[in-house]
Amino acid sequence: MFAIENQAPCVDALEGACIVGRAVNGAGAFTSAEITEAFSMFTREGSLPVWKAFDQDATMMHQDR
């Protein structure tokens, strides 16, 4: 599930809007080609930080340059 949220899923992150991809049915959801491309698309677009989250773990995605 992808959502635009007004607070990052990590307490030590900067405040503000971000896109969060959450694996609600297990971390295996992140391995599908469609989800990988969705993360890539949001990261390439670049207007908001993109986070990958599962349970209590959250990782900010970075665009490869």
Short mmCIF file of all heavy atoms in Angstrom, two decimals:
data_model
loop_
_atom_site.label_atom_id
_atom_site.label_comp_id
_atom_site.label_asym_id
_atom_site.label_seq_id
_atom_site.Cartn_x
_atom_site.Cartn_y
_atom_site.Cartn_z
N MET A 1 0.84 -1.16 0.00
CA MET A 1 0.00 0.00 0.00
C MET A 1 0.90 1.24 0.00
O MET A 1 1.84 1.33 0.77
CB MET A 1 -0.88 -0.02 1.25
CG MET A 1 -1.62 1.26 1.48
SD MET A 1 -2.74 1.21 2.89
CE MET A 1 -1.61 1.56 4.21
N PHE A 2 0.63 2.17 -0.88
CA PHE A 2 1.36 3.44 -0.93
C PHE A 2 0.44 4.54 -0.43
O PHE A 2 -0.75 4.55 -0.72
CB PHE A 2 1.81 3.76 -2.36
CG PHE A 2 2.98 2.94 -2.80
CD1 PHE A 2 2.80 1.72 -3.42
CD2 PHE A 2 4.27 3.38 -2.58
CE1 PHE A 2 3.87 0.95 -3.82
CE2 PHE A 2 5.35 2.63 -2.97
CZ PHE A 2 5.15 1.41 -3.59
N ALA A 3 1.01 5.48 0.32
CA ALA A 3 0.23 6.59 0.85
C ALA A 3 1.09 7.83 0.91
O ALA A 3 2.31 7.75 1.09
CB ALA A 3 -0.28 6.26 2.26
N ILE A 4 0.46 8.98 0.75
CA ILE A 4 1.12 10.25 1.01
C ILE A 4 0.79 10.60 2.45
O ILE A 4 -0.39 10.68 2.83
CB ILE A 4 0.66 11.36 0.05
CG1 ILE A 4 1.06 10.99 -1.37
CG2 ILE A 4 1.25 12.71 0.46
CD1 ILE A 4 0.57 11.95 -2.42
N GLU A 5 1.82 10.76 3.27
CA GLU A 5 1.62 11.02 4.69
C GLU A 5 2.26 12.35 5.06
O GLU A 5 3.16 12.82 4.38
CB GLU A 5 2.21 9.88 5.52
CG GLU A 5 1.54 8.55 5.19
CD GLU A 5 1.99 7.40 6.07
OE1 GLU A 5 2.81 7.61 7.00
OE2 GLU A 5 1.52 6.27 5.83
N ASN A 6 1.80 12.94 6.15
CA ASN A 6 2.33 14.24 6.55
C ASN A 6 3.45 14.12 7.57
O ASN A 6 3.97 15.12 8.04
CB ASN A 6 1.23 15.17 7.06
CG ASN A 6 0.55 14.61 8.30
OD1 ASN A 6 0.89 13.56 8.80
ND2 ASN A 6 -0.46 15.33 8.77
N GLN A 7 3.84 12.89 7.89
CA GLN A 7 4.94 12.66 8.83
C GLN A 7 5.67 11.39 8.41
O GLN A 7 5.05 10.39 8.08
CB GLN A 7 4.39 12.50 10.24
CG GLN A 7 5.46 12.36 11.29
CD GLN A 7 4.85 12.33 12.69
OE1 GLN A 7 3.69 12.66 12.87
NE2 GLN A 7 5.64 11.94 13.64
N ALA A 8 7.00 11.45 8.42
CA ALA A 8 7.81 10.28 8.05
C ALA A 8 7.60 9.16 9.06
O ALA A 8 7.31 9.41 10.23
CB ALA A 8 9.28 10.66 7.98
N PRO A 9 7.77 7.91 8.63
CA PRO A 9 7.56 6.77 9.53
C PRO A 9 8.69 6.55 10.52
O PRO A 9 8.71 5.57 11.24
CB PRO A 9 7.42 5.60 8.57
CG PRO A 9 8.23 5.99 7.39
CD PRO A 9 8.06 7.48 7.28
N CYS A 10 9.64 7.45 10.56
CA CYS A 10 10.81 7.31 11.43
C CYS A 10 10.91 8.56 12.31
O CYS A 10 10.79 9.68 11.80
CB CYS A 10 12.05 7.17 10.55
SG CYS A 10 13.56 6.87 11.44
N VAL A 11 11.11 8.40 13.60
CA VAL A 11 11.07 9.54 14.51
C VAL A 11 12.20 10.55 14.30
O VAL A 11 12.03 11.72 14.59
CB VAL A 11 11.06 9.10 15.99
CG1 VAL A 11 9.79 8.37 16.32
CG2 VAL A 11 12.27 8.28 16.33
N ASP A 12 13.35 10.12 13.79
CA ASP A 12 14.47 11.05 13.62
C ASP A 12 14.55 11.63 12.21
O ASP A 12 15.56 12.20 11.84
CB ASP A 12 15.79 10.40 14.02
CG ASP A 12 16.11 9.15 13.21
OD1 ASP A 12 15.23 8.69 12.46
OD2 ASP A 12 17.23 8.64 13.34
N ALA A 13 13.50 11.50 11.42
CA ALA A 13 13.48 12.03 10.05
C ALA A 13 12.95 13.47 10.06
O ALA A 13 12.31 13.91 11.02
CB ALA A 13 12.59 11.17 9.18
N LEU A 14 13.22 14.17 8.99
CA LEU A 14 12.71 15.53 8.84
C LEU A 14 11.20 15.52 8.75
O LEU A 14 10.59 14.59 8.24
CB LEU A 14 13.29 16.17 7.58
CG LEU A 14 14.80 16.38 7.56
CD1 LEU A 14 15.24 16.88 6.19
CD2 LEU A 14 15.21 17.37 8.64
N GLU A 15 10.59 16.60 9.25
CA GLU A 15 9.14 16.75 9.20
C GLU A 15 8.72 17.07 7.77
O GLU A 15 9.48 17.59 6.98
CB GLU A 15 8.71 17.91 10.11
CG GLU A 15 8.93 17.65 11.57
CD GLU A 15 7.97 16.63 12.15
OE1 GLU A 15 6.80 16.62 11.73
OE2 GLU A 15 8.39 15.83 12.99
N GLY A 16 7.50 16.75 7.45
CA GLY A 16 6.94 17.11 6.16
C GLY A 16 6.34 15.92 5.44
O GLY A 16 6.45 14.78 5.88
N ALA A 17 5.70 16.21 4.33
CA ALA A 17 5.02 15.18 3.56
C ALA A 17 6.02 14.20 2.96
O ALA A 17 7.16 14.55 2.66
CB ALA A 17 4.20 15.83 2.45
N CYS A 18 5.57 12.96 2.78
CA CYS A 18 6.41 11.93 2.17
C CYS A 18 5.51 10.84 1.61
O CYS A 18 4.32 10.77 1.91
CB CYS A 18 7.38 11.34 3.20
SG CYS A 18 6.57 10.54 4.60
N ILE A 19 6.08 10.00 0.78
CA ILE A 19 5.39 8.83 0.24
C ILE A 19 5.91 7.63 1.01
O ILE A 19 7.11 7.44 1.13
CB ILE A 19 5.65 8.67 -1.26
CG1 ILE A 19 5.07 9.88 -2.01
CG2 ILE A 19 5.07 7.36 -1.78
CD1 ILE A 19 5.45 9.95 -3.46
N VAL A 20 4.99 6.81 1.52
CA VAL A 20 5.36 5.63 2.28
C VAL A 20 4.75 4.40 1.62
O VAL A 20 3.54 4.34 1.40
CB VAL A 20 4.89 5.72 3.75
CG1 VAL A 20 5.29 4.46 4.52
CG2 VAL A 20 5.46 6.95 4.42
N GLY A 21 5.62 3.46 1.27
CA GLY A 21 5.17 2.15 0.78
C GLY A 21 5.23 1.19 1.95
O GLY A 21 6.30 0.93 2.49
N ARG A 22 4.07 0.69 2.38
CA ARG A 22 4.01 -0.22 3.53
C ARG A 22 3.63 -1.63 3.08
O ARG A 22 2.68 -1.80 2.33
CB ARG A 22 2.96 0.25 4.54
CG ARG A 22 3.27 1.56 5.19
CD ARG A 22 2.26 1.86 6.29
NE ARG A 22 2.44 3.21 6.79
CZ ARG A 22 3.34 3.57 7.68
NH1 ARG A 22 4.15 2.67 8.18
NH2 ARG A 22 3.43 4.82 8.08
N ALA A 23 4.39 -2.59 3.57
CA ALA A 23 4.07 -4.00 3.31
C ALA A 23 3.09 -4.44 4.39
O ALA A 23 3.50 -4.75 5.50
CB ALA A 23 5.32 -4.85 3.32
N VAL A 24 1.81 -4.45 4.08
CA VAL A 24 0.81 -4.80 5.08
C VAL A 24 0.61 -6.31 5.19
O VAL A 24 0.10 -6.79 6.19
CB VAL A 24 -0.54 -4.09 4.82
CG1 VAL A 24 -0.39 -2.59 5.02
CG2 VAL A 24 -1.07 -4.40 3.44
N ASN A 25 1.02 -7.06 4.17
CA ASN A 25 0.86 -8.52 4.19
C ASN A 25 2.20 -9.23 4.18
O ASN A 25 2.33 -10.32 3.63
CB ASN A 25 0.02 -8.99 2.99
CG ASN A 25 -1.42 -8.54 3.10
OD1 ASN A 25 -1.97 -8.52 4.19
ND2 ASN A 25 -2.01 -8.15 1.99
N GLY A 26 3.23 -8.62 4.75
CA GLY A 26 4.55 -9.25 4.82
C GLY A 26 5.56 -8.58 3.91
O GLY A 26 5.21 -8.03 2.86
N ALA A 27 6.83 -8.64 4.32
CA ALA A 27 7.91 -7.99 3.58
C ALA A 27 8.10 -8.58 2.19
O ALA A 27 8.69 -7.94 1.32
CB ALA A 27 9.20 -8.07 4.37
N GLY A 28 7.60 -9.77 1.93
CA GLY A 28 7.70 -10.37 0.60
C GLY A 28 7.02 -9.55 -0.48
O GLY A 28 7.35 -9.67 -1.66
N ALA A 29 6.10 -8.70 -0.08
CA ALA A 29 5.42 -7.83 -1.06
C ALA A 29 6.39 -6.91 -1.78
O ALA A 29 6.15 -6.51 -2.92
CB ALA A 29 4.34 -7.00 -0.36
N PHE A 30 7.51 -6.58 -1.13
CA PHE A 30 8.48 -5.67 -1.74
C PHE A 30 9.27 -6.33 -2.87
O PHE A 30 10.00 -5.65 -3.59
CB PHE A 30 9.47 -5.16 -0.69
CG PHE A 30 8.86 -4.22 0.32
CD1 PHE A 30 9.24 -4.29 1.65
CD2 PHE A 30 7.93 -3.26 -0.04
CE1 PHE A 30 8.71 -3.42 2.59
CE2 PHE A 30 7.38 -2.39 0.89
CZ PHE A 30 7.77 -2.48 2.21
N THR A 31 9.17 -7.63 -3.06
CA THR A 31 9.97 -8.32 -4.07
C THR A 31 9.32 -8.37 -5.44
O THR A 31 9.99 -8.73 -6.40
CB THR A 31 10.31 -9.75 -3.61
OG1 THR A 31 9.10 -10.49 -3.46
CG2 THR A 31 11.08 -9.74 -2.30
N SER A 32 8.06 -8.03 -5.55
CA SER A 32 7.39 -8.11 -6.85
C SER A 32 7.90 -7.02 -7.80
O SER A 32 8.30 -5.93 -7.37
CB SER A 32 5.87 -8.00 -6.71
OG SER A 32 5.48 -6.66 -6.51
N ALA A 33 7.87 -7.32 -9.07
CA ALA A 33 8.34 -6.38 -10.09
C ALA A 33 7.50 -5.10 -10.08
O ALA A 33 8.04 -4.00 -10.25
CB ALA A 33 8.29 -7.02 -11.47
N GLU A 34 6.20 -5.22 -9.86
CA GLU A 34 5.32 -4.05 -9.86
C GLU A 34 5.65 -3.11 -8.71
O GLU A 34 5.69 -1.89 -8.89
CB GLU A 34 3.85 -4.49 -9.78
CG GLU A 34 3.36 -5.23 -11.00
CD GLU A 34 3.64 -6.73 -10.94
OE1 GLU A 34 4.24 -7.21 -9.94
OE2 GLU A 34 3.27 -7.42 -11.89
N ILE A 35 5.90 -3.66 -7.54
CA ILE A 35 6.22 -2.83 -6.38
C ILE A 35 7.59 -2.20 -6.53
O ILE A 35 7.79 -1.02 -6.22
CB ILE A 35 6.12 -3.64 -5.08
CG1 ILE A 35 4.68 -4.15 -4.88
CG2 ILE A 35 6.57 -2.81 -3.88
CD1 ILE A 35 3.62 -3.08 -4.84
N THR A 36 8.55 -2.96 -7.04
CA THR A 36 9.89 -2.42 -7.28
C THR A 36 9.81 -1.24 -8.24
O THR A 36 10.44 -0.20 -8.02
CB THR A 36 10.81 -3.52 -7.84
OG1 THR A 36 10.90 -4.57 -6.88
CG2 THR A 36 12.19 -2.98 -8.16
N GLU A 37 9.01 -1.36 -9.30
CA GLU A 37 8.86 -0.27 -10.26
C GLU A 37 8.13 0.92 -9.64
O GLU A 37 8.46 2.07 -9.93
CB GLU A 37 8.14 -0.73 -11.52
CG GLU A 37 7.92 0.36 -12.56
CD GLU A 37 9.19 1.15 -12.93
OE1 GLU A 37 10.29 0.56 -12.97
OE2 GLU A 37 9.08 2.37 -13.19
N ALA A 38 7.16 0.67 -8.79
CA ALA A 38 6.45 1.77 -8.13
C ALA A 38 7.41 2.58 -7.26
O ALA A 38 7.41 3.82 -7.31
CB ALA A 38 5.29 1.24 -7.30
N PHE A 39 8.25 1.90 -6.47
CA PHE A 39 9.26 2.61 -5.67
C PHE A 39 10.19 3.40 -6.58
O PHE A 39 10.51 4.56 -6.30
CB PHE A 39 10.06 1.64 -4.81
CG PHE A 39 9.42 1.31 -3.49
CD1 PHE A 39 8.94 0.04 -3.24
CD2 PHE A 39 9.30 2.27 -2.49
CE1 PHE A 39 8.36 -0.28 -2.02
CE2 PHE A 39 8.71 1.97 -1.28
CZ PHE A 39 8.24 0.69 -1.04
N SER A 40 10.63 2.80 -7.68
CA SER A 40 11.53 3.48 -8.62
C SER A 40 10.87 4.73 -9.20
O SER A 40 11.49 5.78 -9.31
CB SER A 40 11.94 2.53 -9.74
OG SER A 40 12.71 1.48 -9.24
N MET A 41 9.60 4.61 -9.58
CA MET A 41 8.87 5.73 -10.17
C MET A 41 8.77 6.90 -9.18
O MET A 41 9.08 8.04 -9.53
CB MET A 41 7.47 5.30 -10.58
CG MET A 41 6.60 6.43 -11.12
SD MET A 41 4.86 6.00 -11.23
CE MET A 41 4.42 5.79 -9.52
N PHE A 42 8.34 6.61 -7.95
CA PHE A 42 8.22 7.68 -6.96
C PHE A 42 9.58 8.30 -6.65
O PHE A 42 9.69 9.52 -6.48
CB PHE A 42 7.59 7.15 -5.67
CG PHE A 42 6.11 6.88 -5.78
CD1 PHE A 42 5.60 5.63 -5.45
CD2 PHE A 42 5.22 7.86 -6.19
CE1 PHE A 42 4.24 5.37 -5.54
CE2 PHE A 42 3.86 7.62 -6.28
CZ PHE A 42 3.37 6.36 -5.95
N THR A 43 10.62 7.49 -6.58
CA THR A 43 11.97 8.00 -6.29
C THR A 43 12.48 8.87 -7.43
O THR A 43 13.03 9.95 -7.21
CB THR A 43 12.93 6.83 -6.02
OG1 THR A 43 12.42 6.05 -4.94
CG2 THR A 43 14.31 7.33 -5.65
N ARG A 44 12.28 8.42 -8.68
CA ARG A 44 12.70 9.22 -9.85
C ARG A 44 11.98 10.55 -9.90
O ARG A 44 12.56 11.57 -10.25
CB ARG A 44 12.44 8.44 -11.14
CG ARG A 44 13.44 7.42 -11.50
CD ARG A 44 13.25 6.89 -12.93
NE ARG A 44 11.89 6.48 -13.21
CZ ARG A 44 11.41 5.23 -13.09
NH1 ARG A 44 12.19 4.27 -12.67
NH2 ARG A 44 10.16 4.96 -13.40
N GLU A 45 10.68 10.54 -9.60
CA GLU A 45 9.88 11.77 -9.65
C GLU A 45 10.47 12.81 -8.71
O GLU A 45 10.57 13.98 -9.06
CB GLU A 45 8.43 11.44 -9.30
CG GLU A 45 7.44 12.52 -9.69
CD GLU A 45 7.40 13.66 -8.70
OE1 GLU A 45 7.59 13.42 -7.49
OE2 GLU A 45 7.21 14.80 -9.13
N GLY A 46 10.86 12.42 -7.52
CA GLY A 46 11.69 13.24 -6.66
C GLY A 46 11.09 14.39 -5.89
O GLY A 46 11.82 15.09 -5.20
N SER A 47 9.79 14.64 -5.95
CA SER A 47 9.27 15.81 -5.25
C SER A 47 9.06 15.57 -3.75
O SER A 47 9.01 16.52 -2.98
CB SER A 47 7.96 16.29 -5.89
OG SER A 47 6.97 15.29 -5.77
N LEU A 48 8.94 14.30 -3.34
CA LEU A 48 8.77 13.96 -1.93
C LEU A 48 9.71 12.82 -1.55
O LEU A 48 10.03 11.97 -2.38
CB LEU A 48 7.33 13.49 -1.65
CG LEU A 48 6.22 14.52 -1.82
CD1 LEU A 48 4.86 13.85 -1.70
CD2 LEU A 48 6.36 15.63 -0.79
N PRO A 49 10.15 12.78 -0.28
CA PRO A 49 10.94 11.63 0.16
C PRO A 49 10.09 10.35 0.06
O PRO A 49 8.87 10.40 0.23
CB PRO A 49 11.24 11.94 1.63
CG PRO A 49 10.97 13.40 1.81
CD PRO A 49 9.97 13.78 0.77
N VAL A 50 10.74 9.23 -0.23
CA VAL A 50 10.05 7.95 -0.37
C VAL A 50 10.59 6.99 0.68
O VAL A 50 11.80 6.82 0.81
CB VAL A 50 10.25 7.37 -1.79
CG1 VAL A 50 9.55 6.02 -1.92
CG2 VAL A 50 9.74 8.34 -2.84
N TRP A 51 9.69 6.37 1.42
CA TRP A 51 10.04 5.43 2.48
C TRP A 51 9.48 4.05 2.19
O TRP A 51 8.36 3.92 1.70
CB TRP A 51 9.48 5.91 3.82
CG TRP A 51 10.14 7.13 4.35
CD1 TRP A 51 9.85 8.42 4.04
CD2 TRP A 51 11.19 7.17 5.31
NE1 TRP A 51 10.67 9.27 4.73
CE2 TRP A 51 11.50 8.52 5.53
CE3 TRP A 51 11.90 6.20 6.01
CZ2 TRP A 51 12.49 8.93 6.40
CZ3 TRP A 51 12.88 6.59 6.89
CH2 TRP A 51 13.17 7.94 7.08
N LYS A 52 10.24 3.03 2.53
CA LYS A 52 9.79 1.64 2.49
C LYS A 52 9.63 1.20 3.94
O LYS A 52 10.57 1.31 4.73
CB LYS A 52 10.85 0.77 1.80
CG LYS A 52 10.46 -0.68 1.65
CD LYS A 52 11.59 -1.51 1.09
CE LYS A 52 11.78 -1.26 -0.39
NZ LYS A 52 12.75 -2.21 -0.99
N ALA A 53 8.42 0.75 4.34
CA ALA A 53 8.15 0.44 5.74
C ALA A 53 7.50 -0.94 5.89
O ALA A 53 6.64 -1.34 5.10
CB ALA A 53 7.26 1.50 6.35
N PHE A 54 7.94 -1.64 6.96
CA PHE A 54 7.35 -2.91 7.34
C PHE A 54 7.52 -3.09 8.84
O PHE A 54 8.63 -2.91 9.36
CB PHE A 54 8.02 -4.08 6.60
CG PHE A 54 7.53 -5.43 7.04
CD1 PHE A 54 6.24 -5.83 6.73
CD2 PHE A 54 8.33 -6.26 7.78
CE1 PHE A 54 5.77 -7.06 7.15
CE2 PHE A 54 7.88 -7.49 8.20
CZ PHE A 54 6.59 -7.89 7.89
N ASP A 55 6.44 -3.42 9.52
CA ASP A 55 6.44 -3.51 10.99
C ASP A 55 7.00 -2.22 11.57
O ASP A 55 6.52 -1.16 11.25
CB ASP A 55 7.23 -4.73 11.47
CG ASP A 55 6.45 -6.03 11.30
OD1 ASP A 55 5.21 -5.97 11.18
OD2 ASP A 55 7.08 -7.09 11.29
N GLN A 56 8.04 -2.30 12.37
CA GLN A 56 8.63 -1.12 13.00
C GLN A 56 9.87 -0.62 12.27
O GLN A 56 10.57 0.26 12.76
CB GLN A 56 9.00 -1.43 14.46
CG GLN A 56 7.81 -1.87 15.30
CD GLN A 56 6.72 -0.80 15.37
OE1 GLN A 56 7.00 0.38 15.56
NE2 GLN A 56 5.48 -1.21 15.20
N ASP A 57 10.15 -1.16 11.09
CA ASP A 57 11.35 -0.81 10.33
C ASP A 57 10.97 0.08 9.15
O ASP A 57 10.02 -0.22 8.43
CB ASP A 57 12.03 -2.09 9.84
CG ASP A 57 13.35 -1.82 9.17
OD1 ASP A 57 14.10 -0.94 9.65
OD2 ASP A 57 13.65 -2.48 8.17
N ALA A 58 11.72 1.17 8.95
CA ALA A 58 11.48 2.07 7.81
C ALA A 58 12.82 2.48 7.22
O ALA A 58 13.78 2.79 7.95
CB ALA A 58 10.72 3.30 8.26
N THR A 59 12.89 2.47 5.89
CA THR A 59 14.11 2.82 5.17
C THR A 59 13.79 3.85 4.12
O THR A 59 12.86 3.67 3.33
CB THR A 59 14.70 1.57 4.47
OG1 THR A 59 14.90 0.55 5.44
CG2 THR A 59 16.00 1.90 3.78
N MET A 60 14.57 4.94 4.10
CA MET A 60 14.37 5.95 3.06
C MET A 60 15.02 5.47 1.78
O MET A 60 16.16 4.99 1.79
CB MET A 60 14.96 7.29 3.47
CG MET A 60 14.75 8.37 2.41
SD MET A 60 15.45 9.95 2.87
CE MET A 60 13.99 10.80 3.37
N MET A 61 14.30 5.59 0.68
CA MET A 61 14.80 5.18 -0.63
C MET A 61 15.54 6.36 -1.25
O MET A 61 15.10 7.50 -1.13
CB MET A 61 13.65 4.76 -1.54
CG MET A 61 12.70 3.74 -0.92
SD MET A 61 13.49 2.21 -0.46
CE MET A 61 13.93 1.58 -2.05
N HIS A 62 16.64 6.09 -1.93
CA HIS A 62 17.42 7.14 -2.57
C HIS A 62 17.48 6.87 -4.06
O HIS A 62 17.60 5.73 -4.49
CB HIS A 62 18.84 7.19 -2.01
CG HIS A 62 18.88 7.60 -0.58
ND1 HIS A 62 18.77 8.89 -0.18
CD2 HIS A 62 18.98 6.86 0.55
CE1 HIS A 62 18.82 8.96 1.14
NE2 HIS A 62 18.95 7.73 1.60
N GLN A 63 17.46 7.93 -4.82
CA GLN A 63 17.58 7.83 -6.27
C GLN A 63 19.04 7.62 -6.61
O GLN A 63 19.91 8.34 -6.13
CB GLN A 63 17.06 9.10 -6.95
CG GLN A 63 17.14 9.03 -8.45
CD GLN A 63 16.52 10.26 -9.09
OE1 GLN A 63 16.01 11.13 -8.42
NE2 GLN A 63 16.58 10.31 -10.38
N ASP A 64 19.34 6.59 -7.42
CA ASP A 64 20.70 6.38 -7.90
C ASP A 64 21.02 7.43 -8.93
O ASP A 64 20.27 7.62 -9.88
CB ASP A 64 20.87 4.98 -8.51
CG ASP A 64 20.66 3.89 -7.49
OD1 ASP A 64 20.91 4.13 -6.29
OD2 ASP A 64 20.24 2.79 -7.89
N ARG A 65 22.13 8.12 -8.74
CA ARG A 65 22.48 9.19 -9.70
C ARG A 65 23.80 8.88 -10.33
O ARG A 65 24.67 8.37 -9.82
CB ARG A 65 22.54 10.53 -8.99
CG ARG A 65 21.16 10.92 -8.54
CD ARG A 65 21.20 12.23 -7.79
NE ARG A 65 19.87 12.42 -7.24
CZ ARG A 65 19.26 13.56 -7.18
NH1 ARG A 65 19.84 14.64 -7.61
NH2 ARG A 65 18.08 13.67 -6.67
#
